[in-house]
């Protein structure tokens, strides 16, 4: 009898590896793998993706960069105390949390850091290569799940772009789950195009914009005239503090507003406001007020309230993206993966903005990933990185 062959192991390198989203990703993967909880919210665990050759959840190995030193087990205990993780889960998966924590390396630049841009990129890339080598990984996907940063000033490379450049240098696909610049920086455009690597992003679509991508097409398809669309977000945790800065909030709101412009065909009056409410912790409330005209000019209002846990909404999407992008890399795809627009507010490449159309494109992408051969696609086959 021939010995069974273990499936290749795949790395998931998390930027912001000790944050709430990253901790929930690691904890959730361990819980589902151990059969402690069902894979609720994991689209890649639905039948449409069963034969796409995606890496098994049990084959994922976690590591990452962060500028804080709170160990993952302790962070998980804090999340459990706040109701983000189930009571008792951090203890049940303590070994998995500790293993991931051992693979977290210091990020940067930190205050007083004297390294220049090249030295930082080299150090981050070396960390990635070392992770892949020591763990015997087939490949690793870099996932940016750090707090939102302000838009860069001039030609300066912000931290998210330093990590993105390091991913390219280390030969790793890159996913930006945040509104931060990442690979969108002009200085990285040529490197991204010539890397031969797939990449995706940006800004995960977890709550308010998810609803907008459904409701916008509804108004358009029913020929109802939207006069104004205003929204408010109440956030706690690290994102709430980061988005209290108007420049940072502007980067976040751009994707929310773009969804409406694309699905309605016009930009209605109204703005999105983001308020930092530290007492909410990892929970958020999003409220939308939509004023629209019906038949014979009848004026009507639709209001929505979304209350949820941002980390629990984001974590399954991050796991989905890590599996899909890893498989795309294995199949030889390169350039912006526009078919993954279902997951993002501001997706790279060209594609629809309505959620139903995005889901159809995603299912079609899953079908393309099937089989054992290589599906080659060059980055220059796409008309652009941004929409």
């Amino acid at each position: 009898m021939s010995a069974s062959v273990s499936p290749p192991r795949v790395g998931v390198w998390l930027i912001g590896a000790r944050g709430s989203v990253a901790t929930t990703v690691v904890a959730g993967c361990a819980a589902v793998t151990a059969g402690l909880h069902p894979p609720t919210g994991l689209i890649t665990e639905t039948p449409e993706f069963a034969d796409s050759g995606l890496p098994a959840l049990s084959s994922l190995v976690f590591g990452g960069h962060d500028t804080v030193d709170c160990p993952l087990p302790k962070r998980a205990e804090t999340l459990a105390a706040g109701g983000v993780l189930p009571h008792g889960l951090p203890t049940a998966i303590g070994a998995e949390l500790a293993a991931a924590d051992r693979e977290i390396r210091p990020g940067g630049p930190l205050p007083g850091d004297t390294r220049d841009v090249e030295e930082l990129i080299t150090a981050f890339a070396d960390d990635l290569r070392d992770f892949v080598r020591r763990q015997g990984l087939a490949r690793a996907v870099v996932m940016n799940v750090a707090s939102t940063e302000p838009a860069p000033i001039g030609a300066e490379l912000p931290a998210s772009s330093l990590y993105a450049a390091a991913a390219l240098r280390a030969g790793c696909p890159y996913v930006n789950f945040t509104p931060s610049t990442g690979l969108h920086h002009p200085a990285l455009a040529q490197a991204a195009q010539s890397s031969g690597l797939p990449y995706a992003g940006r800004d995960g679509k977890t709550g308010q914009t998810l609803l907008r991508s459904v409701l916008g097409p509804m108004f358009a398809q029913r020929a109802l005239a939207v006069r104004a669309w205003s929204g408010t977000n109440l956030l706690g945790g690290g994102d709430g503090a980061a988005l209290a800065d108007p420049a940072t909030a502007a980067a976040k709101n751009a994707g929310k507003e773009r969804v409406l412009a694309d699905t309605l065909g016009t930009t209605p009056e109204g703005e999105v406001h983001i308020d930092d409410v530290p007492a909410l912790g990892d929970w958020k409330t999003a409220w939308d007020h939509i004023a629209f005209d019906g038949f014979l000019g009848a004026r009507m209002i639709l209001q929505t309230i979304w209350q949820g846990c941002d980390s629990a909404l984001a974590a399954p999407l991050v796991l989905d993206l890590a599996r899909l992008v890893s498989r795309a890399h294995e199949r030889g795809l390169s350039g912006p993966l526009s078919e993954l627009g279902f997951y993002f507010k501001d997706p790279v490449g060209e594609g629809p903005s309505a959620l139903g159309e995005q889901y159809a494109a995603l299912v079609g992408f899953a079908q393309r990933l099937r089989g054992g051969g290589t599906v080659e696609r060059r980055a220059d086959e796409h008309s652009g990185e941004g929409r």
Side-chain angles (χ1 to χ4, degrees):
M1 294 178 60
S2 59
S4 60
V5 178
S6 300
R9 302 205 307 161
V10 171
V12 181
W13 190 261
L14 301 163
I15 308 303
R18 290 192 170 111
S20 296
V21 171
T23 305
T24 308
V25 167
V26 176
C29 185
V32 173
T33 298
L36 300 176
H37 289 272
T40 306
L42 275 166
I43 303 163
T44 50
E45 286 294 298
T46 60
E48 289 78 5
F49 297 82
D51 301 320
S52 297
L54 305 181
L57 290 171
S58 59
S59 73
L60 301 183
V61 181
F62 296 96
H65 282 116
D66 210 323
T67 56
V68 301
D69 56 8
C70 178
L72 278 182
K74 184 174 180 60
R75 180 64 171 161
E77 290 172 2
T78 301
L79 293 178
V84 178
L85 297 180
H87 178 71
L89 182 61
T91 300
I93 58 167
E96 289 87 346
L97 290 168
D101 193 68
R102 288 193 293 271
E103 294 296 340
I104 298 176
R105 300 294 178 263
L110 293 166
D113 200 329
T114 59
R115 293 174 294 179
D116 61 23
V117 165
E118 177 60 27
E119 289 172 326
L120 286 164
I121 294 173
T122 298
F124 297 157
D126 287 345
D127 289 337
L128 271 165
R129 294 191 190 98
D130 183 59
F131 174 61
V132 172
R133 178 186 57 78
R134 285 185 300 96
Q135 292 287 350
L137 306 176
R139 58 188 46 81
V141 178
V142 176
M143 309 280 304
N144 182 17
V145 293
S147 294
T148 303
E149 65 187 11
I153 300 173
E156 171 192 3
L157 280 179
S160 65
S161 295
L162 298 178
Y163 292 121
L168 297 180
R169 188 171 298 184
C172 297
Y174 174 82
V175 179
N176 189 0
F177 201 74
T178 81
S180 300
T181 303
L183 276 183
H184 274 66
H185 198 286
L188 300 182
Q190 182 56 45
Q193 186 175 22
S194 62
S195 68
L197 295 166
Y199 53 91
R202 65 181 169 168
D203 199 2
K205 186 162 57 188
T206 58
Q208 185 179 46
T209 310
L210 181 66
L211 279 179
R212 288 179 167 212
S213 66
V214 174
L215 294 175
M218 179 195 74
F219 284 108
Q221 291 161 5
R222 289 294 299 268
L224 298 170
V226 175
R227 291 183 291 108
W229 197 317
S230 300
T232 295
N233 282 259
L234 307 179
L235 300 173
D239 251 4
L243 293 169
D245 173 31
T248 306
K252 185 83 171 177
N253 286 337
K256 294 177 181 288
E257 294 165 357
R258 187 172 295 110
V259 168
L260 294 183
D262 289 350
T263 58
L264 295 174
T266 184
T267 302
E269 293 180 6
E271 297 178 346
V272 176
H273 298 276
I274 299 177
D275 294 332
D276 178 26
V277 185
L280 291 178
D282 287 281
W283 300 81
K284 68 178 181 180
T285 296
W287 169 72
D288 270 19
H289 183 280
I290 308 158
F292 65 99
D293 289 344
F295 191 52
L296 304 180
R299 293 202 158 186
M300 293 176 270
I301 298 292
L302 172 65
Q303 295 186 48
T304 66
I305 298 176
W306 177 288
Q307 295 177 303
C309 174
D310 209 33
S311 300
L313 290 165
L317 308 186
V318 172
L319 289 169
D320 278 347
L321 287 163
R323 302 173 79 189
L324 289 163
V325 174
S326 171
R327 177 59 172 162
H329 187 216
E330 182 182 14
R331 293 281 274 150
L333 299 183
S334 65
L337 299 178
S338 59
E339 299 94 335
L340 300 184
F342 179 82
Y343 292 97
F344 300 106
K345 297 183 183 73
D346 185 19
V348 297
E350 297 294 331
S353 294
L355 192 69
E357 295 176 30
Q358 290 178 331
Y359 180 72
L362 178 64
V363 171
F365 184 65
Q367 294 171 348
R368 292 184 57 222
L369 294 179
R370 293 172 184 164
T374 299
V375 179
E376 294 185 358
R377 184 179 66 182
R378 301 190 313 274
D380 60 8
E381 292 176 353
H382 299 265
S383 57
E385 289 186 25
R387 299 178 52 245

